[in-house]
Amino acid sequence: MTSDPVRDDNARRKAIPLFDGDLARRGYALNAMCFSFNEEANRKAFLADEEAYCAKFGLTEEQRDAVARRDVLAMLEAGGNVYYLAKLAGIFGLGVQDLGALQTGMSVDAFKAMLVRQAEAIPQGARVREAV
Amino acid sequence: MAKIIGGYFTSHVPGIGGAIVRGDQETPYWKPFFDGFPPIRAWLAKERPDVAVVFSNDHGLNFFLDKMPTFAVGAAPQYDNADEGWGLPVYKSFEGHPALSWHLIDALVRDEFDITTCQKMLVDHAVSIPFELVWPGVEAWPVKLVPISINTVQYPLPSPKRCLALGRAVHRALMSWGGDERILICGTGGLSHQLDGPRAGFMNPEYDLFCLDNLAANPEALTGHSAEEVAELAGTQGVEILNWIAARGAMGDTPMTEVSRNYHIPISNTAAASLLLQAG
Ligand SMILES: [Fe+2]
C-alpha cells in the first residue's frame, strides 16, 4: 500500500486532536453550552428541554445533531473540546471511561481492561521510589 | 528571606476526588496510587510550608474560550472552588497572599513575562485535589495560595521551554521577595493521558519515566519537544506536564533530593504520578 500524506495527516489529526483556533471558532457555541453546565440550574434546564436549551446557545446543525446522537467523535469534529464536553457527559452520567468506550468502539469493560493492561509496559522497579 | 523548601508534583484527575468521596483509598484499584502520599504528608508536617505557589491548568471553571490567557497569576485574597458540573464536592476555599502575588506580577512583567492578573479567580480540581491528597480532612488549608494558571486547553499552548523559563522567572521573583515565608512549589496534572478521539486511553510510560527521571537534575531535557510533540508523546491531556515543568523552574537550580516518587497505571484514564523534591 502506498502511503497517502493527506490521509495520513488527517488520521493523525483525528488521533491527536489539537484544539486550535479553527476548532475553537467552530466549536464556540457547543463549548459555551457545555461551560454553562457548571451550574446545576442549567443542567436541569437542559434535561427539561434539550432542544430549547441547544437553541438558546445557537448550536449549529452539526453540533445539535451530534449532541442528539450522543456522538462524541462528531462533537469533537464540530469543534467540541473534551474539557467542556466532559460536563455534558456528566449530565448523562457518563464518565471518562464511558467516553473512551464510545470513541474507540470498545465496550466499557474492554476499554477499562485496556487501561489496566498498560501497566504491563512499566519497567520493573519504576513504580515506587522512596528516600533512604 | 523567604525559603523555597521543595516541590510537590502530582496528578490531579477528578477521578481521585471521586475515590476520596467514596473512601476507596485502600481498595486494590486505588491503593497503589494513594500509597504515594504518606511520605509527602509526613514531609510537609515536618517542613511546615506557609505558602504554596501552584502551577496548574483550568478545566473550564474559571476560564472559557471568550478569554484564554496563556499564563495567569492569581492576586486574590481568597480563591473559591465551585461546582464543575460532574459531581465532585465543592472543596474548601483557599486563603490568598495578595502581597506576594503582586510582587510576583510586578517582577514577572518587569522580567518580560506578560502575564494576566486575576484579582478574582475560581480554582478547580487541579488545585483542590492535590491539596486534599496531602492534607486530607483538615479544617482549613494550612498554607496560603498563589495560583499560576497555564493554558493547556487552546492551541497554541506555551512551549515546554517557555514554561521552564516562566518558572525560572517566578524563582527570581521569589528570591527578591522580602518576606520570610517557607514556600512550597507545586505542579499538578498529567502524566500521560488522552480523553478525546480514537486514541482515547493512550498512555506512554516511556515518556512519563523520561520526565520523572530528568525533572530534578536536567529539566532542559523536557524542553526538547514542542507542545504539539508533547501531545503526541503524552496524550492530548498529558500536556499538563507543562505545569510540572514550570513548577520545576520555580524551584531554582539548587541541587535537589528526591524524597519520594510513585508511578502507577491506571487511575481513571491516566498514568498517575506523585513526586516530592526537596531543595538542597
Ligand atoms: Fe487535568
Side-chain angles (χ1 to χ4, degrees):
Chain A
M1 209 169 82
T2 55
S3 94
D4 171 351
V6 174
R7 194 195 51 209
D8 289 353
D9 195 45
N10 283 341
R12 183 191 160 93
R13 219 177 337 220
K14 272 211 170 77
I16 306 157
L18 301 181
F19 187 73
D20 59 10
D22 176 46
L23 287 167
R25 251 162 54 210
R26 276 200 281 134
Y28 197 89
L30 173 59
N31 291 314
M33 181 177 84
C34 293
F35 181 65
S36 81
F37 296 143
N38 282 330
E39 283 176 43
E40 196 185 359
N42 295 335
R43 300 196 289 273
K44 284 190 171 150
F46 174 88
L47 284 171
D49 189 344
E50 185 173 327
E51 192 63 50
Y53 200 81
C54 289
K56 186 175 134 186
F57 280 84
L59 265 60
T60 64
E61 195 65 36
E62 185 193 8
Q63 292 169 347
R64 180 66 198 99
D65 186 54
V67 171
R69 289 188 289 108
R70 315 294 190 239
D71 184 337
V72 183
L73 291 176
M75 290 182 216
L76 292 171
E77 277 290 320
N81 177 283
V82 73
Y83 285 123
Y84 307 111
L85 294 179
K87 298 172 197 288
L88 172 64
I91 295 183
F92 306 132
L94 301 174
V96 286
Q97 273 116 59
D98 301 299
L99 287 183
L102 286 169
Q103 295 175 98
T104 54
M106 294 182 203
S107 71
V108 176
D109 282 342
F111 186 77
K112 285 183 177 169
M114 179 273 281
L115 298 172
V116 169
R117 260 197 322 275
Q118 294 191 54
E120 291 162 14
I122 307 176
Q124 201 80 41
R127 283 170 176 274
V128 186
R129 216 191 276 172
E130 222 175 294
V132 278
Chain B
M1 195 177 113
K3 184 170 193 272
I4 295 170
I5 60 169
Y8 157 46
F9 303 81
T10 183
S11 301
H12 66 214
V13 291
I16 301 166
I20 293 172
V21 170
R22 295 188 304 274
D24 278 353
Q25 292 92 330
E26 293 296 315
T27 60
Y29 182 87
W30 284 100
K31 191 175 186 311
F33 171 70
F34 280 94
D35 276 353
F37 294 91
I40 302 176
R41 289 177 202 142
W43 184 88
L44 287 168
K46 183 162 61 85
E47 294 292 329
R48 307 185 77 81
D50 304 300
V51 190
V53 177
V54 180
F55 294 83
S56 68
N57 60 293
D58 181 75
H59 301 69
L61 180 67
N62 188 68
F63 295 117
F64 180 61
L65 304 174
D66 56 343
K67 305 170 194 76
M68 184 58 70
T70 299
F71 299 127
V73 179
Q78 180 179 310
Y79 303 92
D80 296 334
N81 180 227
D83 188 346
E84 293 185 50
W86 45 51
L88 281 180
V90 174
Y91 292 101
K92 284 185 282 289
S93 295
F94 302 76
E95 185 185 352
H97 193 326
L100 177 56
S101 286
W102 282 108
H103 170 76
L104 288 185
I105 290 159
D106 192 60
L108 286 170
V109 176
R110 285 176 200 284
D111 214 350
E112 300 183 335
F113 279 86
D114 307 317
I115 44 83
T116 297
T117 302
C118 301
Q119 288 207 63
K120 276 196 174 181
M121 188 188 219
L122 292 170
V123 293
D124 71 11
H125 65 273
V127 180
S128 302
I129 284 177
F131 274 43
E132 199 63 53
L133 281 165
V134 292
W135 292 296
V138 292
E139 189 91 349
W141 303 123
V143 292
K144 293 179 179 174
L145 173 67
V146 176
I148 301 179
S149 182
I150 297 179
N151 165 34
T152 64
V153 174
Q154 179 183 277
Y155 286 74
L157 310 184
S159 67
K161 184 172 166 229
R162 186 64 175 162
C163 291
L164 185 64
L166 171 77
R168 285 181 169 151
V170 169
H171 179 77
R172 289 190 290 277
L174 291 172
M175 289 299 92
S176 67
W177 167 243
D180 59 358
E181 290 91 343
R182 296 172 63 74
I183 299 169
L184 177 71
I185 308 290
C186 305
T188 88
L191 291 182
S192 59
H193 64 305
Q194 176 157 341
L195 303 177
D196 48 355
R199 201 176 71 146
F202 173 83
M203 297 176 217
N204 185 352
E206 196 186 325
Y207 176 73
D208 291 341
L209 294 170
F210 161 80
C211 292
L212 286 167
D213 288 341
N214 282 292
L215 193 73
N218 183 23
E220 266 81 12
L222 280 68
T223 65
H225 301 111
S226 66
E228 289 81 358
E229 286 166 342
V230 174
E232 180 160 3
L233 285 165
T236 43
Q237 279 66 53
V239 292
E240 292 175 346
I241 190 73
L242 292 176
N243 303 322
W244 289 48
I245 295 170
R248 170 62 189 83
M251 293 181 69
D253 281 326
T254 51
M256 273 160 221
T257 313
E258 188 175 296
V259 180
S260 83
R261 178 206 287 208
N262 186 42
Y263 181 71
H264 173 67
I265 287 179
I267 57 165
S268 190
N269 291 21
T270 303
S274 58
L275 177 71
L276 178 62
L277 301 177
Q278 179 173 293

